[in-house]
Amino acid sequence: MTFNALLLEQTDETVTAAMTELGDDRLPEGDVTVAVEWSSLNYKDGMILSGLGRLVRKYPHVPGVDLAGTVESSDDDRYRQGDRVVLTGWRVGETHWGGYSERARVKGDWLVPLPDGLTTRQAMSVGTAGFAAMQGLLALEEHGLEPGPDQPLLVTGASGGLGSSAVLFAGAAGHHVVASTGRLENADELTALGAAEVIDRGELAENPSRPLLSERWAGCVDAVGGDTLAHILTEMRYGTSVAACGLAGGNGLATTVIPFLLRGVNLLGIDSVLCPTQRRRTVWNRIAEVVDAAKLESLTTEVELADVAALAPEILAGKVKGRVVVSCR
Ligand code: NDP
């Protein structure tokens, strides 16, 4: 049997991607073979497709950090032929061949059964970015964030994949979402998704010279990091939390200990890659519970597998809007 995949090759320091027909004997080790229906484009895929960050050490390589599809065969008792499954994280698409392929072979431990109410396409509309957004929201709620207009929840990078998903999920859960974006022309779309207010990201872009500014936010899902995160920390209300999810604006963090000491602010790290299995199920089930299918579709763009590599520079430049699903059949 053969299958088509987007194969990355490295020559010198350059990485190139091409659709390639491969034999099943090329599939990596694993106990479950999945007929991949959908994958998605995430910021990390943009890095991998561009050969940045040394995330992939061994070529040729099939990228795609997430996938959803149907089990074709399984040596793992928990999965049978025909089961619908979703996979994010575990460095799939980095150290193990990933979802940009018609077929994937993976460890059963990495899979989650598709939650009731979600299709495989919807699961990838959510994908890694949406999964991390929900992880962030759950962490904030567990640290005291409550729905309602008196608890403004800031979401940064709101036009991007993680941010728009956070707006969608938090809005649906009744939170008062303040969406921060560099693309104010998207304000109406963000409002339709679930934002109560939309602000210009320029308001948060500079690291202030003072360690504390007026208390403003009851929680934050941050996709941006860098000086934006440093700024946000100075504006958190007493005893509230920031879910640090991303670094689209830089991986540095020049801050002081003052927000932590004088306002009891919590900085919660969000990692979707090694998130434990039980927690994954909780996150997926909450997603299935709150998600509005029409709104999820409204933030989704579909591309063919052969066309996804062309979008890598776009996502790295912060120009991709919402989520991109990749059709793999
Ligand atoms: P996107 O590129 O889709 O979104 C990032 C958004 O951030 C952009 O759309 C833009 O939104 C904003 N942005 C981009 N550049 C800058 C900048 N220089 N300064 C301020 N804002 C900027 O990426 P994703 O949403 O998929 O991912 C966002 C981040 O989250 C990435 O760093 C990614 O690696 C990380 N991530 C982390 C995960 C985890 O497990 N913790 C999982 C998935 C992603 P706007 O135009 O609205 O301002």
Side-chain angles (χ1 to χ4, degrees):
M1 291 248 284
T2 61
F3 63 100
N4 291 302
L6 190 73
L7 199 68
L8 287 186
E9 301 269 10
Q10 190 186 42
T11 15
D12 302 324
E13 287 304 299
T14 310
V15 168
T16 49
M19 288 301 297
T20 309
E21 187 175 87
L22 299 166
D24 270 2
D25 57 338
R26 299 286 301 277
L27 284 168
E29 300 255 308
D31 36 32
V32 182
T33 304
V34 180
V36 182
E37 289 156 23
W38 300 95
S39 183
S40 80
L41 176 69
N42 295 275
Y43 192 87
K44 202 185 253 179
D45 295 309
M47 295 178 71
I48 290 166
L49 289 164
S50 309
L52 299 175
R54 292 182 54 79
L55 295 170
V56 175
R57 300 295 175 98
K58 203 169 148 208
Y59 294 89
H61 176 71
V62 175
V65 300
D66 49 26
L67 62 91
T70 303
V71 171
E72 278 188 348
S73 62
S74 172
D75 296 327
D76 182 317
D77 290 344
R78 293 166 294 181
Y79 294 99
R80 290 195 198 155
Q81 188 182 18
D83 286 351
R84 317 281 268 169
V85 290
V86 57
L87 192 163
T88 63
W90 302 117
R91 302 212 164 86
V92 169
E94 300 176 57
T95 56
H96 190 93
W97 281 15
Y100 290 175
S101 174
E102 290 176 338
R103 188 169 288 144
R105 186 172 291 150
V106 297
K107 284 191 184 170
D109 284 347
W110 298 338
L111 292 168
V112 172
L114 192 71
D116 288 344
L118 282 187
T119 64
T120 50
R121 187 177 185 281
Q122 288 168 334
M124 284 298 102
S125 274
V126 173
T128 304
F131 179 87
M134 181 54 93
Q135 269 186 291
L137 180 61
L138 280 177
L140 294 179
E141 290 177 345
E142 286 161 2
H143 283 78
L145 178 72
E146 290 185 358
D150 57 335
Q151 299 219 6
L153 166 63
L154 176 66
V155 174
T156 62
S159 296
L162 196 151
S164 56
S165 306
V167 171
L168 173 66
F169 299 149
H175 292 285
H176 183 92
V177 177
V178 181
S180 161
T181 181
R183 292 175 272 181
L184 282 177
E185 65 275 17
N186 296 337
D188 288 348
E189 288 166 56
L190 289 168
T191 305
L193 266 189
E197 298 173 49
V198 180
I199 62 168
D200 187 334
R201 81 181 187 203
E203 280 187 38
L204 309 167
E206 284 188 14
N207 192 347
S209 51
R210 297 196 345 243
L212 291 176
L213 300 178
S214 299
E215 294 183 44
R216 204 171 171 194
W217 314 114
C220 173
V221 175
D222 177 46
V224 171
D227 283 350
T228 301
L229 177 54
H231 187 117
I232 291 162
L233 287 169
T234 69
E235 292 186 343
M236 297 306 296
R237 292 184 184 171
Y238 185 84
T240 60
S241 306
V242 177
C245 298
L247 45 71
N251 64 3
L253 182 58
T255 187
T256 73
V257 292
I258 302 300
F260 308 105
L261 299 186
L262 297 189
R263 285 204 184 140
V265 171
N266 303 299
L267 186 55
L268 310 175
I270 301 301
D271 171 46
S272 62
V273 175
L274 299 179
C275 172
T277 301
Q278 197 47 46
R279 182 68 170 174
R280 275 176 203 274
R281 289 175 183 244
T282 304
V283 172
W284 276 112
N285 287 340
R286 183 82 193 288
I287 289 168
E289 192 184 299
V290 302
V291 81
D292 175 312
K295 288 185 181 179
L296 181 64
E297 184 57 30
S298 75
L299 63 78
T300 304
T301 311
E302 183 179 321
V303 295
E304 296 298 317
L305 188 47
D307 300 327
V308 65
L311 290 175
E314 302 279 307
I315 195 160
L316 294 179
K319 289 185 184 160
V320 167
K321 196 164 72 173
R323 295 275 304 135
V324 176
V325 291
V326 182
S327 172
C328 298
R329 302 309 293 168

